[in-house]
Amino acid sequence: MRDIKRISVRGKRVLVRVDFNVPISNGIVQDDTRVRATLPTIKYLIKNGAIVILMSHLGRPKGKVKKELSLEPVAKVLSNLINQKVKFVSDCIGNNVKSVINESREGDVILLENLRFHPEEKENDAEFSQKLSELGDIYINDAFGTAHRKHSSTYGVAKFFKEKAPGFLLMKEIEMLSQIRDNPAHPFTVILGGAKISTKLGVMKNFLNKADKLIIGGGMAFNFFKSQGIEVGKSLIEEDKIEDSKDIMRKASKENITFLLPVDIMIAKEFKNDTEKKVVSKDKMEKGWMGLDIGPITSRIFEEAIKGSKTIFWNGPMGVFEMENFREGTEIIGKAVSDETNKGAFSVVGGGDTISCLNLLRIDKISHISTGGGASLKFLAGETLPGIEALEEK
Ligand code: AMP
């Protein structure tokens, strides 16, 4: 891939794919983390005299114009952050967009409307990709969060450009995640939790012979229990992944890896904060109950296991952290990860939910917080991400 700094951008129209998929409520941006994350690239382009054309998706409009999913509120936020006007255009292709760009000067910033208002974006439609490409002379992708998607703006558009490169955010993500994937310092501890085991199978398989410890909590742990014939009550299960769970446990026992599952669980009568709850041993689940957090003995075991790590990757909470009564496990593990980081471990946390839990629990001592959940999991599973592949010069 080319280095953005080796491309002459002055006076050129630079089309930048960013990830401005931020939470918006009543027209107000609730969290601007993703906008801030792209500032190094945007500021660099402004400083070097480019005409900066930003494009992004927001939410799931399903190919239709939805006013509540307009990117217009983001233009205001960005404008405040860079201290200059951001021109917002109410479409992402067409003559109106082109004339706004043509009237622009060096250092101007333009934000296009939500790409996904056009169904062709997600279909990676060739004609739509070409129309996007007509807007710029140079293509930059800085949207790590969507790099695992083969869409027009992340993939199809790239082949129309001779000059293309990753932005600073994308480069940093690749650098940090490659260190974990290819060259982790040992002991290397991988902590996985959350609801969907299906999204984490690839990472587990890839790390079975690289990590020293694999720690599993959250709803996904119940797939492993079920695969061993342990009663799981009404706990979260992905039925079609039971065989995979069995397979992982089989492989883990062959590899020289410490594979840790919960030994006790906080179970609940109903899926809500104020409900009857109690701690039971993992094999004493009661029918009609569900596991919503790891138990206190498990928290201590996991905490001990994390101590002394030199590299840590964490994705997915240990329980339903959104509910106060089922947050403790995640809190203890989060603190253990940040304590080890303080002692010099290299820690990477990925995934939207894990990031919200860091914010909620005020855990900030982490070496790298990845902006992409799905993208980081696929990258670490060893998959080629279309958004990165499209930037490679053959
Ligand atoms: P994921 O996107 O797969 O990382 O899942 C994150 C979600 O998993 C969070 O919203 C948690 O509330 C949820 N989660 C974690 N543990 C459990 C559990 N034991 N039962 C149900 N949901 C859970």
Side-chain angles (χ1 to χ4, degrees):
M1 282 189 291
R2 202 176 285 198
D3 181 346
I4 187 172
K5 289 189 176 155
R6 301 189 65 176
I7 299 178
S8 159
V9 298
R10 186 161 300 278
K12 301 268 180 63
R13 299 168 304 153
V14 182
L15 183 64
V16 191
R17 178 45 158 114
V18 286
D19 181 4
F20 283 172
N21 184 26
V22 295
I24 295 181
S25 158
N26 298 323
I28 296 169
V29 174
Q30 304 296 314
D31 183 341
D32 64 359
T33 312
R34 284 187 165 155
V35 184
R36 286 177 187 274
T38 56
L39 289 179
T41 299
I42 295 172
K43 285 184 176 168
Y44 171 85
L45 291 172
I46 296 172
K47 193 168 145 235
N48 287 281
I51 297 164
V52 189
I53 306 148
L54 304 170
M55 57 176 176
S56 175
H57 76 284
L58 176 65
R60 298 195 168 114
K62 306 222 161 91
K64 297 202 178 73
V65 176
K66 288 207 171 137
K67 212 169 158 271
E68 67 277 17
L69 292 177
S70 168
L71 278 164
E72 195 164 6
V74 183
K76 289 191 199 101
V77 168
L78 177 62
S79 183
N80 285 334
L81 289 170
I82 59 175
N83 236 335
Q84 81 174 58
K85 187 176 160 43
V86 173
K87 295 190 216 172
F88 178 73
V89 201
S90 59
D91 203 348
C92 60
I93 48 165
N95 288 337
N96 183 30
V97 182
K98 282 185 183 166
S99 61
V100 173
I101 295 171
N102 288 339
E103 287 158 13
S104 298
R105 299 203 211 129
E106 290 181 7
D108 281 356
V109 178
I110 301 153
L111 175 62
L112 309 181
E113 182 55 288
N114 194 342
L115 290 155
R116 290 193 190 164
F117 284 175
H118 293 265
E120 296 89 347
E121 156 68 357
K122 285 182 82 172
E123 291 157 7
N124 187 31
D125 179 82
E127 204 180 315
F128 183 71
S129 303
Q130 183 175 357
K131 283 184 186 160
L132 288 175
S133 76
E134 287 166 6
L135 306 176
D137 307 303
I138 295 163
Y139 170 68
I140 302 290
N141 189 352
D142 211 18
F144 181 69
T146 43
H148 58 313
R149 306 274 183 222
K150 205 172 194 166
H151 294 170
S152 279
S153 66
T154 57
Y155 188 78
V157 72
K159 73 165 188 287
F160 294 98
F161 290 89
K162 263 209 197 99
E163 291 192 295
K164 51 193 169 187
F168 293 113
L169 171 65
L170 185 52
M171 268 188 332
K172 186 172 172 214
E173 292 275 10
I174 295 173
E175 209 177 286
M176 294 291 165
L177 293 171
S178 299
Q179 197 173 322
I180 288 253
R181 187 190 60 186
D182 307 329
N183 211 6
H186 293 273
F188 174 27
T189 304
V190 175
I191 310 160
L192 298 173
K196 295 182 291 282
I197 187 171
S198 45
T199 59
K200 287 148 200 149
L201 283 169
V203 170
M204 276 191 273
K205 284 181 189 154
N206 200 30
F207 282 150
L208 274 177
N209 59 358
K210 293 194 180 109
D212 302 285
K213 291 175 187 170
L214 181 54
I215 297 178
I216 313 268
M220 60 182 270
F222 295 99
N223 292 277
F224 291 97
F225 292 149
K226 180 133 195 209
S227 80
Q228 295 172 301
I230 296 173
E231 172 68 51
V232 295
K234 287 200 292 182
S235 303
L236 206 66
I237 285 292
E238 281 181 73
E239 282 297 343
D240 59 336
K241 296 291 175 278
I242 303 297
E243 269 313 304
D244 289 287
S245 317
K246 215 183 247 175
D247 193 41
I248 295 224
M249 288 193 79
R250 219 178 289 132
K251 286 191 178 128
S253 71
K254 276 195 206 143
E255 299 288 344
N256 199 10
I257 186 171
T258 306
F259 185 82
L260 296 177
L261 281 168
V263 295
D264 61 345
I265 325 158
M266 175 72 84
I267 63 171
K269 259 271 161 73
E270 289 175 80
F271 191 82
K272 58 181 190 189
N273 191 50
D274 294 312
T275 183
E276 209 180 319
K277 62 178 174 93
K278 58 184 170 186
V279 175
V280 295
S281 152
K282 66 148 201 241
D283 47 3
K284 293 283 181 299
M285 170 68 79
E286 294 174 31
K287 282 206 169 76
W289 288 64
M290 64 190 87
L292 295 187
D293 196 4
I294 54 175
I297 302 174
T298 303
S299 291
R300 296 300 157 217
I301 294 174
F302 286 4
E303 193 184 22
E304 275 308 308
I306 293 165
K307 278 187 190 153
S309 302
K310 286 273 179 296
T311 310
I312 303 170
F313 174 67
W314 178 25
N315 183 304
M318 295 292 105
V320 187
F321 74 97
E322 295 92 338
M323 300 181 199
E324 214 183 333
N325 285 335
F326 304 101
R327 189 175 290 165
E328 199 178 325
T330 306
E331 206 160 3
I332 292 171
I333 295 329
K335 191 169 175 307
V337 174
S338 82
D339 284 352
E340 288 318 293
T341 313
N342 265 328
K343 287 188 220 149
F346 175 64
S347 61
V348 173
V349 171
D353 279 309
T354 323
I355 296 172
S356 356
C357 97
L358 291 181
N359 290 338
L360 187 79
L361 305 173
R362 297 178 198 283
I363 297 166
D364 53 4
K365 193 72 196 148
I366 300 292
S367 315
H368 177 66
I369 299 174
S370 175
T371 50
S376 65
L377 287 171
K378 291 204 170 185
F379 187 92
L380 293 175
E383 289 182 37
T384 308
L385 305 191
I388 295 175
E389 188 193 358
L391 298 173
E392 283 165 6
E393 290 176 354
K394 305 273 164 13

